[in-house]
Amino acid sequence: MATHHHLLFFFHLILMLSVIAIQTFATYACNAVEREALLTFKASIFDGIQHSLSSWMKIKTAVNGGECDNTTTRNILELNLRNPYQYWENWTNYALSGEINPSLLALNYLTRLDLSYNNFSGVSIPEFISSFNNLTHLNLSYSKFEGKIPHQLGNLSKLHSLDLSNSLFIGTVPSQLGNLSSLLYLSLNLAFNDISMPNADNLEWLSQLASLKYLDLGFINLTNSANWLHIINRLQSIKVLLLSDTSLPSSQNSFSYVNFTSLTTLDLSSNWQFNTTLSSWLWNLTNLSYLNLEDRQLHGMIPNALGNLTSLIYLNLAQNNLEGPLPKSLGKLCNLRVIDLTSTGIGGDIQELVGMVACTWNNLHEIILSSNNLQGNLSNWLEHMTNLKHLNLHDNSLVGEVPLGIGNLQNLNTLDLSSNSLHGVISEAHFANLTKLNDLRLSSNSLIILVARSWIPPF
């Protein structure tokens, strides 16, 4: 306890000395007009009920927050007021709130503005932000801004990155965002307070963002965007596309030519209204490393063309209505680390299924095959999965004993074999080497468990 107090005292001492040094830097190194602008801005906001941000703000506005350039004018180029306590349980107690003073307009050379993880509830994004003509990065995420997204943001012609995620906006996405022709990164994930109504009139404006590499529109209502896929097909530079839970209309299954083949990450999960077969254009995205199609009401068979996606590391087809056996081409996906086929209706012998990915046995970290119709036993394959961290085979029709070879899986963190027809004895020998195991589920089997409770987690 004494050591803890000593460390805490030492930390506060260092912080206090840093503040003194940085205040000196702010006084003599930065442009006087801009320094006064920051002081006016600071006076207009509240620094949380803990009142602990006064020193933090001095640090952030003087160094990381208000970084000066290396010229004789010493203009502020970056203003980083991101709440550094966002991972704390009570992080909002340390957040900034109140009005954003237009005194910031004096920062004529500003290129980066970050107000993320603060609490501007009841406040709209000030329109004057659109006057920062040199701004390249704008991050207002997780700060509870309300009102409409100002269409004036479309004036920020040099903007490379725009993050408005996790906000409380109303209305729709302004089409003027299409004027941001230099944009590389755009996130509107969870940006709107009400997603019961469409949050976009259409997505035509996206087609103007030819340089866009990262797009996240997750959890906003895109019901009115019937031609979304044809618009995405115009984004030849796109690498990350996240459209989870967006009420997307069902898309056409084919293109004469797929333009966005540079895509490495695709998330179309939780768009349950699709109710269609797997789209043929998917199999042309041969650079994909992450594919999430969970909960899209997909039906039909998984085509052999799945094997085209040899770069896949993560594959999630869970919560769909797929039919028939998995294609043998699954065996070509030798880079797989995670496979999730929960509630897809697959059946057959589990050893044959896992055998298809024999080339990746030593690479797989997570196998989730719960709530299916799989049969067979765990012997002669499970012991080879030496890098496996998570295995979930809950609610299948597996039989036989749990092999002692499970002890080879020394990286195993979670194991769920519940609701099967396994039998035999589970002893301490099964788990002696599984020192990382912290979640074990064996219920609803015919197992005799001869293990002291202290050896394994609750099951």
Side-chain angles (χ1 to χ4, degrees):
M1 182 65 69
T3 302
H4 173 75
H5 285 303
H6 288 154
L7 288 173
L8 193 60
F9 172 77
F10 179 74
F11 171 78
H12 283 298
L13 178 62
I14 293 297
L15 181 61
M16 182 176 66
L17 292 175
S18 299
V19 169
I20 294 172
I22 289 164
Q23 282 180 292
T24 303
F25 171 84
T27 302
Y28 295 104
C30 288
N31 179 291
V33 173
E34 297 185 350
R35 186 172 66 250
E36 287 301 317
L38 288 177
L39 292 173
T40 302
F41 163 77
K42 179 184 173 183
S44 69
I45 59 175
F46 181 61
D47 66 352
I49 63 173
Q50 301 293 337
H51 299 293
S52 61
L53 284 187
S54 56
S55 60
W56 167 71
M57 287 187 63
K58 291 171 187 175
I59 293 173
K60 300 297 276 186
T61 56
V63 180
N64 295 325
E67 182 176 317
C68 298
D69 68 6
N70 197 29
T71 68
T72 55
T73 57
R74 293 291 186 179
N75 296 112
I76 291 176
L77 301 180
E78 300 183 17
L79 187 59
N80 181 2
L81 295 177
R82 180 186 182 95
N83 183 355
Y85 303 103
Q86 68 263 29
Y87 300 113
W88 292 28
E89 183 178 353
N90 59 340
W91 67 270
T92 54
N93 291 344
Y94 301 85
L96 304 181
S97 60
E99 295 289 337
I100 300 175
N101 197 290
S103 65
L104 291 182
L105 282 172
L107 310 183
N108 291 320
Y109 294 88
L110 199 65
T111 61
R112 291 174 177 261
L113 176 60
D114 190 339
L115 297 174
S116 57
Y117 288 92
N118 286 298
N119 185 7
F120 293 105
S121 180
V123 176
S124 297
I125 296 176
E127 295 178 4
F128 70 76
I129 285 181
S130 63
S131 298
F132 292 122
N133 296 325
N134 293 302
L135 211 59
T136 60
H137 294 75
L138 178 60
N139 189 349
L140 305 178
S141 63
Y142 288 90
S143 286
K144 302 185 180 180
F145 279 105
E146 299 185 16
K148 292 186 176 182
I149 300 174
H151 65 83
Q152 291 87 349
L153 293 182
N155 296 334
L156 299 173
S157 59
K158 295 183 180 179
L159 210 59
H160 292 165
S161 175
L162 176 60
D163 193 342
L164 303 177
S165 59
N166 286 267
S167 298
L168 299 170
F169 298 127
I170 60 173
T172 59
V173 181
S175 61
Q176 288 83 357
L177 295 187
N179 297 332
L180 305 177
S181 57
S182 299
L183 208 60
L184 304 176
Y185 178 105
L186 175 61
S187 178
L188 296 173
N189 183 284
L190 284 166
F192 287 88
N193 186 46
D194 182 6
I195 61 171
S196 63
M197 300 293 289
N199 302 131
D201 295 329
N202 58 65
L203 291 179
E204 287 291 344
W205 54 273
L206 270 178
S207 61
Q208 303 174 57
L209 306 181
S211 300
L212 200 63
K213 296 181 181 297
Y214 182 106
L215 176 63
D216 187 354
L217 301 180
F219 298 92
I220 68 174
N221 190 326
L222 300 179
T223 303
N224 286 350
S225 305
N227 61 341
W228 67 271
L229 188 53
H230 287 279
I231 291 170
I232 297 299
N233 200 35
R234 301 173 196 168
L235 303 179
Q236 298 186 32
S237 299
I238 195 77
K239 290 184 177 295
V240 176
L241 179 60
L242 307 176
L243 298 174
S244 176
D245 204 349
T246 51
S247 301
L248 283 173
S250 184
S251 62
Q252 296 84 357
N253 281 338
S254 63
F255 284 111
S256 57
Y257 185 77
V258 176
N259 289 317
F260 53 104
T261 54
S262 296
L263 204 65
T264 61
T265 299
L266 176 62
D267 188 346
L268 298 176
S269 60
S270 299
N271 284 293
W272 52 267
Q273 69 288 348
F274 267 44
N275 192 24
T276 184
T277 56
L278 284 160
S279 303
S280 59
W281 54 268
L282 282 169
W283 320 123
N284 294 317
L285 305 178
T286 54
N287 287 306
L288 274 184
S289 59
Y290 179 103
L291 177 60
N292 189 350
L293 302 177
E294 180 181 5
D295 192 18
R296 279 184 51 196
Q297 296 298 304
L298 298 171
H299 57 82
M301 297 185 65
I302 302 174
N304 206 50
L306 172 66
N308 295 347
L309 308 184
T310 54
S311 297
L312 274 185
I313 295 174
Y314 178 99
L315 174 62
N316 189 344
L317 299 175
Q319 307 293 337
N320 285 295
N321 300 312
L322 302 173
E323 304 165 8
L326 292 173
K328 289 189 175 2
S329 63
L330 184 67
K332 296 180 180 179
L333 308 185
C334 295
N335 292 304
L336 270 183
R337 300 292 185 274
V338 177
I339 182 169
D340 188 345
L341 301 175
T342 300
S343 297
T344 53
I346 60 172
D349 192 314
I350 190 171
Q351 186 167 350
E352 292 182 11
L353 186 156
V354 178
M356 292 181 188
V357 290
C359 63
T360 191
W361 274 5
N362 291 327
N363 295 327
L364 277 166
H365 292 169
E366 189 168 338
I367 300 176
I368 307 175
L369 302 174
S370 59
S371 301
N372 283 302
N373 303 309
L374 292 168
Q375 302 171 351
N377 57 59
L378 304 178
S379 300
N380 302 320
W381 63 271
L382 185 56
E383 57 266 32
H384 298 295
M385 305 272 181
T386 53
N387 286 316
L388 206 60
K389 296 179 180 179
H390 306 282
L391 176 63
N392 189 340
L393 301 177
H394 164 77
D395 191 18
N396 278 284
S397 300
L398 303 177
V399 298
E401 299 182 353
V402 178
L404 283 174
I406 197 173
N408 296 338
L409 279 57
Q410 297 184 27
N411 294 303
L412 204 61
N413 183 266
T414 62
L415 174 63
D416 190 345
L417 302 176
S418 60
S419 299
N420 281 284
S421 298
L422 300 171
H423 64 268
V425 175
I426 294 289
S427 68
E428 292 178 355
H430 286 85
F431 303 104
N433 296 323
L434 304 185
T435 58
K436 297 181 181 179
L437 189 66
N438 59 35
D439 188 354
L440 175 64
R441 301 174 191 275
L442 300 173
S443 61
S444 300
N445 283 289
S446 299
L447 295 167
I448 300 174
I449 300 174
L450 302 177
V451 183
R453 289 282 180 175
S454 59
W455 275 74
I456 58 176
F459 53 89

